[in-house]
Amino acid sequence: MLAEGGAIINRVIDLHTHILPGLDDGPATEDGAVAMARAAVAAGTQAMATTSHISHTFGLTPADLSAARTVLGERLEREKIDLELLQGGEIAPARLPSLQDADLRALTIGHGRHVLLECPFSPAGGLDRMVADLQRRGFGVLLAHPERSPSFLRNLDFLAALVERGALAQVTAGSLTGAFGETVRRAAQGMLERGLVHVIASDAHDERHRSPELDVGLDDAQAEWMTAAAPAAIVEGRPLPERPPLPRARGVRARLRAWSPR
C-alpha cells in the first residue's frame, strides 16, 4: 500500500531471506524458490529482500544476484504470486574488504543505504571497526542475527554500543521461538527487552524447515514496527519511525512462552 508521497505503509517486508535459487544454501531449484514464495505470501509477507550470501564460500557478485532476482521475479509474475523481490545481499565480514563502494551500493537493501552485515558464528574481532568503516563510507548497517553470534550472545552491551553509534539490528524469527536453542532464544529475548531490535526477519532458506514465517506472537504494535514500519523505512532510505513504547520485560516473555505456530 502506498501513502501520499509514495511511502510504503502497512506492508510486511522480510529483510533477510535466501530465496534466490541455486546461488547459496537456499532453494536449489526455481520450483523450490516458488514454493518458498507461496509460503511467504500465505504467511502474510508482501516483499522480500533477496539477501544471498556474499562470501568467499559461494563467490557471488552483485550481478549474480541481480540476474537471478530478475528471472525469479518474472516467474512469480507468471505464477501470479504477489511477492515483490527487493535488492539485497548478506555480506560476510571476510568478504567486506574486497567490496568497493559500487559493489555495496548494488547490495543495499531495497533503494536505501543500509547493507546487511552478517554477524559471524565463530568468535571474531573487528566487527565494530567494520561498522564504523561502512558508516564512514556513507552506508547504514543492519546487523544480521546478532543473537546467534558469539560476539553478542553473552554480551548485549556490545550490541547496545553499536546501536548507540547508529547500527541497526535484525533478529531472526526462529530465534525467538527456540528454533536455534534456548541460549539463542534468551539472547534474542534480552535484545527485545532492551529495545535493541529494529527488524524481525525470517532468514528463510526453504518453505518448511527454514520457513519465511515472521509471526512470533509479539505485541501487535511492536510486531508491526519491526516487520513493516521499520523495514519500509530501511528499504526507502528514510529515518526509522518512532518506536512504540516497549512493553514490560515480563510481558514480552509471557507472550513468547504462550505463542505457538499456526
Short mmCIF file of all heavy atoms in Angstrom, two decimals, residues 58-109:
data_model
loop_
_atom_site.label_atom_id
_atom_site.label_comp_id
_atom_site.label_asym_id
_atom_site.label_seq_id
_atom_site.Cartn_x
_atom_site.Cartn_y
_atom_site.Cartn_z
N PHE A 58 30.70 -18.91 -1.34
CA PHE A 58 29.86 -19.02 -2.54
C PHE A 58 30.36 -18.17 -3.70
O PHE A 58 29.98 -18.42 -4.85
CB PHE A 58 28.42 -18.64 -2.19
CG PHE A 58 27.78 -19.58 -1.22
CD1 PHE A 58 27.64 -19.23 0.12
CD2 PHE A 58 27.34 -20.82 -1.61
CE1 PHE A 58 27.06 -20.10 1.04
CE2 PHE A 58 26.77 -21.71 -0.71
CZ PHE A 58 26.64 -21.35 0.62
N GLY A 59 31.19 -17.18 -3.44
CA GLY A 59 31.81 -16.41 -4.50
C GLY A 59 30.87 -15.62 -5.37
O GLY A 59 31.16 -15.37 -6.55
N LEU A 60 29.74 -15.20 -4.83
CA LEU A 60 28.75 -14.48 -5.62
C LEU A 60 29.12 -13.01 -5.78
O LEU A 60 29.80 -12.43 -4.94
CB LEU A 60 27.37 -14.59 -4.96
CG LEU A 60 26.80 -15.99 -4.80
CD1 LEU A 60 25.51 -15.95 -4.00
CD2 LEU A 60 26.56 -16.63 -6.16
N THR A 61 28.63 -12.42 -6.87
CA THR A 61 28.79 -11.00 -7.12
C THR A 61 27.41 -10.34 -7.12
O THR A 61 26.39 -11.03 -7.28
CB THR A 61 29.45 -10.74 -8.48
OG1 THR A 61 28.54 -11.15 -9.53
CG2 THR A 61 30.75 -11.52 -8.61
N PRO A 62 27.35 -9.02 -6.98
CA PRO A 62 26.05 -8.34 -7.09
C PRO A 62 25.33 -8.65 -8.40
O PRO A 62 24.09 -8.76 -8.43
CB PRO A 62 26.42 -6.86 -6.99
CG PRO A 62 27.67 -6.85 -6.16
CD PRO A 62 28.42 -8.08 -6.58
N ALA A 63 26.08 -8.82 -9.48
CA ALA A 63 25.46 -9.12 -10.77
C ALA A 63 24.79 -10.48 -10.75
O ALA A 63 23.73 -10.68 -11.38
CB ALA A 63 26.51 -9.07 -11.88
N ASP A 64 25.36 -11.45 -10.05
CA ASP A 64 24.75 -12.77 -9.94
C ASP A 64 23.37 -12.66 -9.29
O ASP A 64 22.40 -13.29 -9.73
CB ASP A 64 25.63 -13.71 -9.11
CG ASP A 64 26.95 -14.03 -9.75
OD1 ASP A 64 27.01 -14.11 -11.00
OD2 ASP A 64 27.94 -14.19 -9.01
N LEU A 65 23.30 -11.89 -8.22
CA LEU A 65 22.03 -11.73 -7.50
C LEU A 65 21.01 -10.98 -8.35
O LEU A 65 19.84 -11.34 -8.40
CB LEU A 65 22.24 -10.99 -6.18
CG LEU A 65 22.63 -11.85 -4.98
CD1 LEU A 65 23.98 -12.53 -5.19
CD2 LEU A 65 22.65 -11.01 -3.70
N SER A 66 21.46 -9.95 -9.03
CA SER A 66 20.55 -9.16 -9.86
C SER A 66 19.92 -10.01 -10.97
O SER A 66 18.72 -9.95 -11.21
CB SER A 66 21.31 -7.97 -10.47
OG SER A 66 20.46 -7.22 -11.31
N ALA A 67 20.75 -10.82 -11.63
CA ALA A 67 20.24 -11.66 -12.72
C ALA A 67 19.25 -12.69 -12.20
O ALA A 67 18.18 -12.90 -12.78
CB ALA A 67 21.40 -12.35 -13.42
N ALA A 68 19.58 -13.33 -11.08
CA ALA A 68 18.69 -14.35 -10.50
C ALA A 68 17.39 -13.72 -10.01
O ALA A 68 16.32 -14.33 -10.13
CB ALA A 68 19.40 -15.07 -9.36
N ARG A 69 17.48 -12.52 -9.47
CA ARG A 69 16.28 -11.83 -8.98
C ARG A 69 15.33 -11.51 -10.14
O ARG A 69 14.10 -11.65 -10.02
CB ARG A 69 16.69 -10.55 -8.25
CG ARG A 69 15.56 -9.83 -7.55
CD ARG A 69 16.09 -8.78 -6.58
NE ARG A 69 17.02 -7.86 -7.19
CZ ARG A 69 18.32 -7.79 -6.91
NH1 ARG A 69 18.85 -8.62 -6.05
NH2 ARG A 69 19.11 -6.90 -7.50
N THR A 70 15.88 -11.09 -11.26
CA THR A 70 15.05 -10.78 -12.43
C THR A 70 14.34 -12.04 -12.93
O THR A 70 13.13 -12.02 -13.20
CB THR A 70 15.92 -10.19 -13.56
OG1 THR A 70 16.46 -8.94 -13.11
CG2 THR A 70 15.10 -9.96 -14.81
N VAL A 71 15.07 -13.14 -13.05
CA VAL A 71 14.48 -14.38 -13.56
C VAL A 71 13.38 -14.87 -12.62
O VAL A 71 12.27 -15.24 -13.06
CB VAL A 71 15.57 -15.46 -13.74
CG1 VAL A 71 14.93 -16.82 -14.04
CG2 VAL A 71 16.53 -15.06 -14.85
N LEU A 72 13.66 -14.88 -11.31
CA LEU A 72 12.65 -15.37 -10.36
C LEU A 72 11.46 -14.43 -10.31
O LEU A 72 10.31 -14.89 -10.25
CB LEU A 72 13.27 -15.51 -8.97
CG LEU A 72 12.31 -16.03 -7.88
CD1 LEU A 72 11.73 -17.39 -8.25
CD2 LEU A 72 13.02 -16.09 -6.53
N GLY A 73 11.70 -13.13 -10.39
CA GLY A 73 10.59 -12.18 -10.39
C GLY A 73 9.66 -12.39 -11.56
O GLY A 73 8.43 -12.31 -11.42
N GLU A 74 10.20 -12.69 -12.72
CA GLU A 74 9.37 -12.96 -13.90
C GLU A 74 8.57 -14.23 -13.71
O GLU A 74 7.39 -14.30 -14.10
CB GLU A 74 10.26 -13.06 -15.14
CG GLU A 74 10.87 -11.72 -15.54
CD GLU A 74 11.91 -11.85 -16.63
OE1 GLU A 74 12.30 -13.00 -16.95
OE2 GLU A 74 12.34 -10.81 -17.17
N ARG A 75 9.16 -15.24 -13.07
CA ARG A 75 8.43 -16.49 -12.79
C ARG A 75 7.29 -16.25 -11.81
O ARG A 75 6.17 -16.75 -12.01
CB ARG A 75 9.40 -17.53 -12.23
CG ARG A 75 8.75 -18.81 -11.70
CD ARG A 75 8.30 -19.77 -12.79
NE ARG A 75 7.62 -20.92 -12.21
CZ ARG A 75 8.25 -22.05 -11.82
NH1 ARG A 75 9.57 -22.16 -11.95
NH2 ARG A 75 7.56 -23.06 -11.33
N LEU A 76 7.54 -15.48 -10.77
CA LEU A 76 6.48 -15.18 -9.79
C LEU A 76 5.34 -14.40 -10.45
O LEU A 76 4.16 -14.62 -10.14
CB LEU A 76 7.05 -14.39 -8.61
CG LEU A 76 8.11 -15.09 -7.76
CD1 LEU A 76 8.48 -14.21 -6.56
CD2 LEU A 76 7.65 -16.46 -7.30
N GLU A 77 5.69 -13.51 -11.36
CA GLU A 77 4.66 -12.75 -12.06
C GLU A 77 3.81 -13.68 -12.92
O GLU A 77 2.57 -13.57 -12.95
CB GLU A 77 5.30 -11.66 -12.92
CG GLU A 77 4.30 -10.71 -13.54
CD GLU A 77 4.97 -9.53 -14.24
OE1 GLU A 77 6.19 -9.38 -14.11
OE2 GLU A 77 4.25 -8.79 -14.93
N ARG A 78 4.45 -14.62 -13.62
CA ARG A 78 3.70 -15.57 -14.44
C ARG A 78 2.80 -16.45 -13.57
O ARG A 78 1.69 -16.80 -13.98
CB ARG A 78 4.65 -16.46 -15.26
CG ARG A 78 5.40 -15.75 -16.34
CD ARG A 78 6.01 -16.73 -17.33
NE ARG A 78 6.91 -17.69 -16.70
CZ ARG A 78 8.20 -17.49 -16.50
NH1 ARG A 78 8.76 -16.33 -16.85
NH2 ARG A 78 8.96 -18.42 -15.94
N GLU A 79 3.28 -16.81 -12.38
CA GLU A 79 2.52 -17.67 -11.48
C GLU A 79 1.48 -16.88 -10.67
O GLU A 79 0.76 -17.46 -9.86
CB GLU A 79 3.48 -18.38 -10.52
CG GLU A 79 4.51 -19.25 -11.18
CD GLU A 79 4.09 -20.69 -11.27
OE1 GLU A 79 3.05 -21.05 -10.68
OE2 GLU A 79 4.80 -21.47 -11.94
N LYS A 80 1.48 -15.54 -10.88
CA LYS A 80 0.55 -14.65 -10.15
C LYS A 80 0.75 -14.75 -8.63
O LYS A 80 -0.21 -14.77 -7.85
CB LYS A 80 -0.90 -14.93 -10.53
CG LYS A 80 -1.18 -14.77 -12.02
CD LYS A 80 -2.64 -14.83 -12.34
CE LYS A 80 -2.88 -14.77 -13.85
NZ LYS A 80 -2.23 -13.61 -14.50
N ILE A 81 2.01 -14.81 -8.22
CA ILE A 81 2.37 -14.79 -6.80
C ILE A 81 2.77 -13.37 -6.46
O ILE A 81 3.77 -12.84 -6.97
CB ILE A 81 3.52 -15.77 -6.51
CG1 ILE A 81 3.10 -17.19 -6.87
CG2 ILE A 81 3.94 -15.69 -5.04
CD1 ILE A 81 4.22 -18.20 -6.79
N ASP A 82 2.00 -12.73 -5.62
CA ASP A 82 2.15 -11.30 -5.36
C ASP A 82 3.21 -11.06 -4.28
O ASP A 82 2.90 -10.73 -3.13
CB ASP A 82 0.81 -10.70 -4.94
CG ASP A 82 0.84 -9.18 -4.92
OD1 ASP A 82 1.80 -8.60 -5.46
OD2 ASP A 82 -0.09 -8.57 -4.36
N LEU A 83 4.46 -11.25 -4.67
CA LEU A 83 5.58 -11.06 -3.76
C LEU A 83 6.64 -10.25 -4.49
O LEU A 83 7.18 -10.69 -5.50
CB LEU A 83 6.17 -12.40 -3.31
CG LEU A 83 7.35 -12.32 -2.35
CD1 LEU A 83 6.89 -11.84 -0.97
CD2 LEU A 83 8.05 -13.68 -2.24
N GLU A 84 6.95 -9.08 -3.96
CA GLU A 84 7.98 -8.24 -4.57
C GLU A 84 9.36 -8.67 -4.08
O GLU A 84 9.56 -8.89 -2.88
CB GLU A 84 7.76 -6.77 -4.23
CG GLU A 84 8.78 -5.85 -4.90
CD GLU A 84 8.58 -4.38 -4.57
OE1 GLU A 84 7.67 -4.07 -3.78
OE2 GLU A 84 9.35 -3.56 -5.10
N LEU A 85 10.30 -8.80 -4.99
CA LEU A 85 11.68 -9.15 -4.65
C LEU A 85 12.52 -7.88 -4.66
O LEU A 85 12.57 -7.16 -5.66
CB LEU A 85 12.23 -10.16 -5.66
CG LEU A 85 11.47 -11.48 -5.77
CD1 LEU A 85 12.13 -12.39 -6.82
CD2 LEU A 85 11.39 -12.20 -4.42
N LEU A 86 13.18 -7.62 -3.54
CA LEU A 86 13.96 -6.41 -3.37
C LEU A 86 15.45 -6.72 -3.42
O LEU A 86 15.89 -7.82 -3.08
CB LEU A 86 13.63 -5.76 -2.02
CG LEU A 86 12.16 -5.43 -1.77
CD1 LEU A 86 11.96 -5.02 -0.32
CD2 LEU A 86 11.68 -4.35 -2.71
N GLN A 87 16.23 -5.73 -3.80
CA GLN A 87 17.68 -5.85 -3.82
C GLN A 87 18.21 -6.11 -2.41
O GLN A 87 17.64 -5.69 -1.41
CB GLN A 87 18.27 -4.55 -4.35
CG GLN A 87 19.78 -4.48 -4.34
CD GLN A 87 20.30 -3.18 -4.92
OE1 GLN A 87 20.21 -2.97 -6.12
NE2 GLN A 87 20.83 -2.31 -4.07
N GLY A 88 19.33 -6.81 -2.34
CA GLY A 88 19.98 -7.05 -1.05
C GLY A 88 21.13 -8.02 -1.20
O GLY A 88 21.50 -8.43 -2.31
N GLY A 89 21.70 -8.40 -0.07
CA GLY A 89 22.79 -9.36 -0.02
C GLY A 89 23.28 -9.43 1.41
O GLY A 89 23.32 -8.41 2.10
N GLU A 90 23.63 -10.63 1.89
CA GLU A 90 24.15 -10.79 3.24
C GLU A 90 25.67 -10.85 3.16
O GLU A 90 26.24 -11.83 2.67
CB GLU A 90 23.60 -12.05 3.90
CG GLU A 90 24.06 -12.19 5.34
CD GLU A 90 23.54 -13.46 6.01
OE1 GLU A 90 22.97 -14.33 5.31
OE2 GLU A 90 23.70 -13.57 7.24
N ILE A 91 26.31 -9.79 3.62
CA ILE A 91 27.75 -9.62 3.41
C ILE A 91 28.53 -10.23 4.57
O ILE A 91 28.36 -9.85 5.73
CB ILE A 91 28.10 -8.14 3.26
CG1 ILE A 91 27.33 -7.54 2.06
CG2 ILE A 91 29.60 -7.95 3.07
CD1 ILE A 91 27.41 -6.04 1.97
N ALA A 92 29.38 -11.19 4.26
CA ALA A 92 30.23 -11.81 5.27
C ALA A 92 31.38 -10.86 5.61
O ALA A 92 31.96 -10.24 4.71
CB ALA A 92 30.77 -13.13 4.76
N PRO A 93 31.76 -10.75 6.88
CA PRO A 93 32.87 -9.86 7.24
C PRO A 93 34.15 -10.14 6.46
O PRO A 93 34.86 -9.20 6.09
CB PRO A 93 33.06 -10.14 8.74
CG PRO A 93 31.69 -10.53 9.22
CD PRO A 93 31.11 -11.33 8.08
N ALA A 94 34.43 -11.43 6.19
CA ALA A 94 35.66 -11.76 5.47
C ALA A 94 35.64 -11.26 4.03
O ALA A 94 36.70 -11.03 3.43
CB ALA A 94 35.89 -13.27 5.49
N ARG A 95 34.47 -11.09 3.46
CA ARG A 95 34.35 -10.63 2.07
C ARG A 95 34.34 -9.10 1.99
O ARG A 95 34.65 -8.54 0.94
CB ARG A 95 33.06 -11.20 1.48
CG ARG A 95 32.80 -10.87 0.01
CD ARG A 95 33.68 -11.67 -0.95
NE ARG A 95 33.48 -11.23 -2.32
CZ ARG A 95 32.50 -11.67 -3.12
NH1 ARG A 95 31.67 -12.61 -2.67
NH2 ARG A 95 32.37 -11.22 -4.34
N LEU A 96 33.99 -8.45 3.07
CA LEU A 96 33.81 -7.00 3.05
C LEU A 96 35.02 -6.23 2.52
O LEU A 96 34.85 -5.31 1.71
CB LEU A 96 33.43 -6.51 4.45
CG LEU A 96 33.11 -5.01 4.58
CD1 LEU A 96 31.96 -4.62 3.66
CD2 LEU A 96 32.78 -4.67 6.03
N PRO A 97 36.25 -6.57 2.91
CA PRO A 97 37.39 -5.77 2.43
C PRO A 97 37.56 -5.75 0.92
O PRO A 97 38.17 -4.81 0.38
CB PRO A 97 38.59 -6.45 3.11
CG PRO A 97 38.03 -7.09 4.33
CD PRO A 97 36.67 -7.57 3.91
N SER A 98 37.04 -6.74 0.22
CA SER A 98 37.20 -6.81 -1.23
C SER A 98 36.08 -6.10 -1.99
O SER A 98 36.12 -6.03 -3.22
CB SER A 98 37.28 -8.26 -1.69
OG SER A 98 36.03 -8.92 -1.49
N LEU A 99 35.10 -5.57 -1.28
CA LEU A 99 33.95 -4.93 -1.92
C LEU A 99 34.16 -3.42 -2.02
O LEU A 99 34.41 -2.76 -1.01
CB LEU A 99 32.67 -5.23 -1.15
CG LEU A 99 32.26 -6.70 -1.07
CD1 LEU A 99 31.04 -6.87 -0.17
CD2 LEU A 99 31.97 -7.27 -2.46
N GLN A 100 34.06 -2.91 -3.22
CA GLN A 100 34.15 -1.48 -3.44
C GLN A 100 32.81 -0.81 -3.15
O GLN A 100 31.78 -1.48 -3.02
CB GLN A 100 34.58 -1.20 -4.88
CG GLN A 100 35.89 -1.85 -5.29
CD GLN A 100 37.05 -1.39 -4.43
OE1 GLN A 100 37.24 -0.18 -4.22
NE2 GLN A 100 37.83 -2.33 -3.91
N ASP A 101 32.80 0.51 -3.08
CA ASP A 101 31.56 1.23 -2.80
C ASP A 101 30.49 0.90 -3.84
O ASP A 101 29.30 0.79 -3.49
CB ASP A 101 31.80 2.74 -2.78
CG ASP A 101 32.50 3.19 -1.50
OD1 ASP A 101 32.84 2.32 -0.66
OD2 ASP A 101 32.71 4.41 -1.35
N ALA A 102 30.88 0.76 -5.11
CA ALA A 102 29.90 0.42 -6.15
C ALA A 102 29.28 -0.94 -5.90
O ALA A 102 28.07 -1.14 -6.13
CB ALA A 102 30.56 0.46 -7.53
N ASP A 103 30.08 -1.88 -5.43
CA ASP A 103 29.55 -3.21 -5.09
C ASP A 103 28.53 -3.09 -3.96
O ASP A 103 27.46 -3.70 -4.00
CB ASP A 103 30.68 -4.15 -4.65
CG ASP A 103 31.72 -4.38 -5.72
OD1 ASP A 103 31.34 -4.56 -6.90
OD2 ASP A 103 32.90 -4.37 -5.39
N LEU A 104 28.88 -2.33 -2.94
CA LEU A 104 27.99 -2.18 -1.79
C LEU A 104 26.69 -1.49 -2.17
O LEU A 104 25.62 -1.86 -1.69
CB LEU A 104 28.71 -1.40 -0.68
CG LEU A 104 29.90 -2.12 -0.04
CD1 LEU A 104 30.64 -1.18 0.90
CD2 LEU A 104 29.43 -3.36 0.72
N ARG A 105 26.78 -0.50 -3.05
CA ARG A 105 25.54 0.17 -3.50
C ARG A 105 24.62 -0.80 -4.23
O ARG A 105 23.40 -0.66 -4.18
CB ARG A 105 25.88 1.37 -4.38
CG ARG A 105 26.36 2.59 -3.60
CD ARG A 105 26.40 3.83 -4.47
NE ARG A 105 27.43 3.75 -5.50
CZ ARG A 105 28.68 4.14 -5.33
NH1 ARG A 105 29.08 4.63 -4.17
NH2 ARG A 105 29.56 4.04 -6.32
N ALA A 106 25.21 -1.79 -4.90
CA ALA A 106 24.41 -2.80 -5.60
C ALA A 106 23.88 -3.87 -4.66
O ALA A 106 23.12 -4.75 -5.08
CB ALA A 106 25.24 -3.46 -6.71
N LEU A 107 24.27 -3.79 -3.37
CA LEU A 107 23.84 -4.77 -2.38
C LEU A 107 23.02 -4.15 -1.25
O LEU A 107 22.61 -4.86 -0.33
CB LEU A 107 25.05 -5.48 -1.78
CG LEU A 107 25.86 -6.37 -2.73
CD1 LEU A 107 27.18 -6.78 -2.08
CD2 LEU A 107 25.06 -7.60 -3.15
N THR A 108 22.79 -2.84 -1.32
CA THR A 108 21.98 -2.22 -0.28
C THR A 108 20.58 -2.80 -0.29
O THR A 108 20.11 -3.33 -1.31
CB THR A 108 21.89 -0.70 -0.45
OG1 THR A 108 21.37 -0.40 -1.75
CG2 THR A 108 23.25 -0.04 -0.25
N ILE A 109 19.91 -2.71 0.84
CA ILE A 109 18.57 -3.28 0.97
C ILE A 109 17.57 -2.36 0.30
O ILE A 109 17.37 -1.21 0.71
CB ILE A 109 18.21 -3.50 2.44
CG1 ILE A 109 19.23 -4.43 3.10
CG2 ILE A 109 16.81 -4.07 2.57
CD1 ILE A 109 19.09 -4.52 4.59
#
